[in-house]
Amino acid sequence: MKQIILGTAGHIDHGKTSLVRAVTGIDTDRLKEEKLRGITIELGFAHLDLPSGQHLGVVDVPGHEKFVKNMVAGATGIDIVAMVIAADEGVMPQTREHMEICTLLGVRHGLVVLTKVDLVDEEMLELATEDVQEFTRETFLENAPVIPVSSVTGQGLPEFTQALDALARQIPDRPPSSLFRLPVDRVFTMKGFGTVITGTLVSGRIQVGDAVMVYPSGITSKVRGIQVENQSVQTAESGMRTAINFQGLDKEAVQRGDVLAIPQALRPSYMVDIHFRYLASNGRPIKNRTRVRLHTGTSEILGNLILLEQDELAPGQETVAQLRLDAPVAVVRDDHFVVRSYSPVRTIGGGQVLNPIPPKHKRFKAEVVQGLRGILSGGPEQLVGFHIAASGPLGASFTDLRLMTNLTDKQLDATLQNLMSARTIIQVDKESRTFVHKSSFEELVRETAEHLRGYHKAFPLKSGMSKEELKSKFPPGTDAKLFNLVLNQMIKDNALVQEEKSVRLKTHKVSLAGDEASLRQKMLQLYKDGSLQPPFFRDVTETLMADSAQAKDVLHLLIEQGLIIRTKDDLFFHAEAIEELKKRLVKFLEQNGEINPSQFKEMTGASRKFLIPLFEYFDSKNVTLRVGDV
């Protein structure tokens, strides 16, 4: 059986709570202040079994203008709205605002209930009915049933439940989702149970024993018990009014506006890309950076509305925009939201989330605006491809793409496979399932070649650039696996050569000028003559009267060519001298098993300042192993 939520809406004192009590037998006004003042302040909850056996969860919302934010919280997740209008007063300000809110939140099914008909005559009832017809014209309630009722006499109540039954059969199944989410609308403690959280489960499912995280705080706990309309159950599913009891969770750690989900499934963000509709009922245009109140799920967060393609938006117009918020919000693509003005507070617009975790956009960037407009109605491949391309070299993970696309895991898997088969995207990391777009990958290849060209031009005597230095040229945060993928692709394309810890372009060849070639021969001869007691580098430059920078480049070239060996303490030996010493050392060790410093000094004929670096060099090359003093 489908899980359906019925919500009330309408002006204060038009009989919403009385209607719910009359058809369910449940008084949803539970607070002492509500009883004293005779008005609904907080959300109330009930349930109703229809004649067909269909079960409804019922959310009763406050009608007073001061409590509209509570009404918005209650309207989240409802499938059917009962727009309550008192026959003796007709359409009032909060009737209109509640209609706008329901429209913005994507409610598409409902009926109009004309209450208090026992207080009016036939003529007054006819006028009220005409008022309703005018009010609902060109809205989602234009052709909805209009049911006159009296909660006092019971008139019209059977017709009301029959109309609900007919509507319930029209409600489509909720779209499938792999993501459990429950926006919190109440938090309280019960003796013997501890902290209890309630809300409408908007997607996915949850069962006893599951680990759950509170967003945006990141606090985790485990589900101890679940109730759906006062009945204990093992599992709750999308569309159910749900109460969850947690182990070891303080009441103060959770508040209305938080969202429950599986750990690490959501990513709180201070920015949200949106499709924004500015209501035609507004009296003047809205300007860029206007201070607003964002209502999504059960939360209210202050922020600024950033218009990406204009300086102001006229009433009745729509646009793509970015919200920059004072506190993080955890939402998913396609989530509906309401925007209310900062002061005085009234509903001014709303829409749907396009990207719940976007980067900060610069205004008037055509590619950003066109990209966001393109994913308004694009298919899965366009949606996934856009977000992976927009993520640049950092890539997008499977977890993030789930939030950005609102696809089920199965749909997302199939889409990613199609894009990889078409070579549109590349999987960088199989564990985190991170992907980059081919355009980002190709750009990295071009930039890598450019970095190497610049390096070869600046250091023509160096055979290549160290991989570590090249990696530092990549955008901050670039995955090391992506770096290696780029290098491997360039090697495969015969554009790059990798030599141990350095890389060079295939086309790069070290070519010495005449004076550099002469310097190379003279330096090599000095180190050869020095054998195991070579000169220090500064003495070499003085002896040859060479430019220090030029001499250093030539020396590095000799090291890269393997003709000069560098040891610790910046000592440099001719490779032939080291190789000849290695042979004598190995032969000695094969005969004697070990050698001490005195014996090594006698073998080399070198002073102590050269002995220790030579010993350490052979240790580093795994020729020798130091054990104590031998």
Side-chain angles (χ1 to χ4, degrees), residues 83-150:
M83 184 63 69
V84 177
I85 302 173
D88 61 338
E89 286 193 336
V91 175
M92 298 291 281
Q94 255 50 62
T95 319
R96 297 185 186 281
E97 187 168 18
H98 284 201
M99 173 70 89
E100 291 174 335
I101 289 168
C102 288
T103 302
L104 293 167
L105 290 177
V107 180
R108 294 293 175 263
H109 302 273
L111 44 68
V112 179
V113 187
L114 267 176
T115 56
K116 303 188 180 183
V117 295
D118 55 302
L119 301 180
V120 300
D121 56 24
E122 285 296 324
E123 186 178 352
M124 190 74 172
L125 181 59
E126 190 175 328
L127 288 172
T129 304
E130 290 176 3
D131 190 25
V132 166
Q133 290 170 345
E134 177 64 28
F135 167 62
T136 58
R137 187 169 293 127
E138 297 183 0
T139 73
F140 70 95
L141 291 178
E142 183 170 12
N143 298 311
V146 179
I147 314 293
V149 304
S150 168

Side-chain angles (χ1 to χ4, degrees), residues 66 85 90 99 129 148 157 183 218 236 296 306 318 359 370 398 432 438 481 573 578 602:
K66 289 185 177 178
I85 302 173
M99 173 70 89
T129 304
L157 293 181
T296 178
I306 308 300
E318 300 178 6
Q370 290 167 8
F398 187 91
S432 66
K438 98 178 156 182
K481 292 180 180 177
F573 296 83
I578 293 291
E602 184 179 341

Side-chain angles (χ1 to χ4, degrees), residues 22 24 55 58 62 101 105 114 177 181 183 223 236 256 338 398 416 443 457 468 472 496 553 558:
T24 68
H55 188 79
V58 182
I101 289 168
L105 290 177
L114 267 176
S177 174
R181 286 192 300 151
V223 177
R256 174 182 287 174
V338 171
F398 187 91
L416 289 167
E443 180 63 22
K457 185 176 181 181
E468 187 177 341
S472 72
L496 191 78
D553 285 344
L558 290 169

Side-chain angles (χ1 to χ4, degrees), residues 369-565:
V369 173
Q370 290 167 8
L372 291 175
R373 287 198 175 280
I375 63 172
L376 268 170
S377 55
E381 289 190 13
Q382 182 179 350
L383 190 57
V384 173
F386 168 80
H387 284 303
I388 294 177
S391 66
L394 297 183
S397 69
F398 187 91
T399 302
D400 287 349
L401 287 168
R402 183 196 282 141
L403 305 180
M404 292 169 165
T405 64
N406 201 19
L407 297 171
T408 65
D409 287 1
K410 188 175 180 180
Q411 290 171 323
L412 184 53
D413 263 322
T415 303
L416 289 167
Q417 287 300 326
N418 290 341
L419 290 171
M420 283 194 288
S421 297
R423 301 184 185 277
T424 303
I425 63 171
I426 297 162
Q427 185 166 354
V428 175
D429 191 327
K430 289 186 177 179
E431 286 184 24
S432 66
R433 300 192 69 188
T434 299
F435 305 86
V436 294
H437 199 273
K438 98 178 156 182
S439 60
S440 300
F441 187 83
E442 289 169 354
E443 180 63 22
L444 286 175
V445 169
R446 285 193 293 272
E447 289 178 353
T448 300
E450 196 58 38
H451 288 314
L452 287 171
R453 271 192 291 272
Y455 186 86
H456 294 329
K457 185 176 181 181
F459 305 102
L461 299 186
K462 292 189 177 180
S463 63
M465 185 180 192
S466 76
K467 288 174 67 177
E468 187 177 341
E469 185 178 353
L470 180 59
K471 173 69 168 64
S472 72
K473 302 295 183 183
F474 275 54
T478 301
D479 194 299
K481 292 180 180 177
L482 177 57
F483 173 70
N484 289 327
L485 277 176
V486 169
L487 296 192
N488 290 338
Q489 184 61 49
M490 294 179 75
I491 292 168
K492 185 179 176 182
D493 294 340
N494 210 26
L496 191 78
V497 175
Q498 183 170 297
E499 296 168 336
E500 293 187 2
K501 294 183 178 180
S502 70
V503 290
R504 64 177 173 84
L505 291 176
K506 180 84 172 181
T507 55
H508 176 66
K509 296 285 188 294
V510 175
S511 56
L512 299 175
D515 58 336
E516 291 168 340
S518 173
L519 181 59
R520 175 183 180 277
Q521 289 303 118
K522 291 175 181 176
M523 288 179 69
L524 201 54
Q525 191 61 50
L526 281 177
Y527 283 113
K528 188 172 184 178
D529 294 343
S531 187
L532 298 177
Q533 297 195 86
F536 289 102
F537 176 69
R538 63 175 180 273
D539 297 328
V540 170
T541 56
E542 288 178 7
T543 301
L544 300 176
M545 293 183 289
D547 175 74
S548 178
Q550 188 183 44
K552 190 176 291 185
D553 285 344
V554 171
L555 179 63
H556 285 152
L557 177 61
L558 290 169
I559 294 170
E560 288 175 356
Q561 292 175 335
L563 298 174
I564 295 293
I565 302 298

Side-chain angles (χ1 to χ4, degrees), residues 85-288:
I85 302 173
D88 61 338
E89 286 193 336
V91 175
M92 298 291 281
Q94 255 50 62
T95 319
R96 297 185 186 281
E97 187 168 18
H98 284 201
M99 173 70 89
E100 291 174 335
I101 289 168
C102 288
T103 302
L104 293 167
L105 290 177
V107 180
R108 294 293 175 263
H109 302 273
L111 44 68
V112 179
V113 187
L114 267 176
T115 56
K116 303 188 180 183
V117 295
D118 55 302
L119 301 180
V120 300
D121 56 24
E122 285 296 324
E123 186 178 352
M124 190 74 172
L125 181 59
E126 190 175 328
L127 288 172
T129 304
E130 290 176 3
D131 190 25
V132 166
Q133 290 170 345
E134 177 64 28
F135 167 62
T136 58
R137 187 169 293 127
E138 297 183 0
T139 73
F140 70 95
L141 291 178
E142 183 170 12
N143 298 311
V146 179
I147 314 293
V149 304
S150 168
S151 299
V152 175
T153 67
Q155 177 187 340
L157 293 181
E159 291 80 1
F160 173 58
T161 54
Q162 289 291 347
L164 283 177
D165 219 348
L167 265 176
R169 288 191 287 272
Q170 300 173 26
I171 303 298
D173 291 333
R174 288 174 180 256
S177 174
S178 307
L179 191 63
F180 157 68
R181 286 192 300 151
L182 185 143
V184 176
D185 54 38
R186 283 181 69 202
V187 186
F188 55 92
T189 55
M190 284 185 68
K191 193 172 183 181
F193 289 91
T195 300
V196 177
I197 291 170
T198 72
T200 299
L201 209 161
V202 295
S203 67
R205 65 200 302 270
I206 189 71
Q207 58 187 19
V208 174
D210 283 351
V212 170
M213 181 173 280
V214 180
Y215 294 86
S217 67
I219 295 169
T220 57
S221 186
K222 187 171 282 190
V223 177
R224 181 178 173 186
I226 301 174
Q227 283 198 351
V228 175
E229 290 159 5
N230 300 321
Q231 298 295 316
S232 292
V233 295
Q234 287 298 304
T235 303
E237 298 185 354
S238 177
M240 291 181 172
R241 281 294 311 168
T242 308
I244 304 179
N245 170 222
F246 289 97
Q247 294 178 357
L249 185 67
D250 293 334
K251 178 187 172 185
E252 291 71 24
V254 191
Q255 57 190 348
R256 174 182 287 174
D258 288 344
V259 180
L260 302 183
I262 300 302
Q264 313 310 323
L266 300 180
R267 260 185 60 196
S269 173
Y270 284 89
M271 287 176 281
V272 183
D273 286 344
I274 59 171
H275 178 236
F276 176 65
R277 175 186 166 198
Y278 190 49
L279 291 173
S281 58
N282 292 302
R284 57 185 179 184
I286 188 169
K287 296 182 183 298
N288 176 54

Side-chain angles (χ1 to χ4, degrees), residues 543-610:
T543 301
L544 300 176
M545 293 183 289
D547 175 74
S548 178
Q550 188 183 44
K552 190 176 291 185
D553 285 344
V554 171
L555 179 63
H556 285 152
L557 177 61
L558 290 169
I559 294 170
E560 288 175 356
Q561 292 175 335
L563 298 174
I564 295 293
I565 302 298
R566 181 180 188 169
T567 66
K568 285 189 176 180
D569 299 332
D570 274 347
L571 292 173
F572 304 94
F573 296 83
H574 197 283
E576 290 179 3
I578 293 291
E579 186 59 30
E580 192 276 331
L581 175 59
K582 176 183 171 183
K583 290 176 182 176
R584 287 190 286 142
L585 178 60
V586 169
K587 185 177 180 179
F588 184 91
L589 290 171
E590 285 174 343
Q591 294 173 351
N592 301 285
E594 61 183 38
I595 188 170
N596 61 41
S598 297
Q599 292 168 320
F600 191 53
K601 185 176 186 303
E602 184 179 341
M603 178 185 292
T604 61
S607 63
R608 183 174 178 81
K609 67 182 177 183
F610 297 109

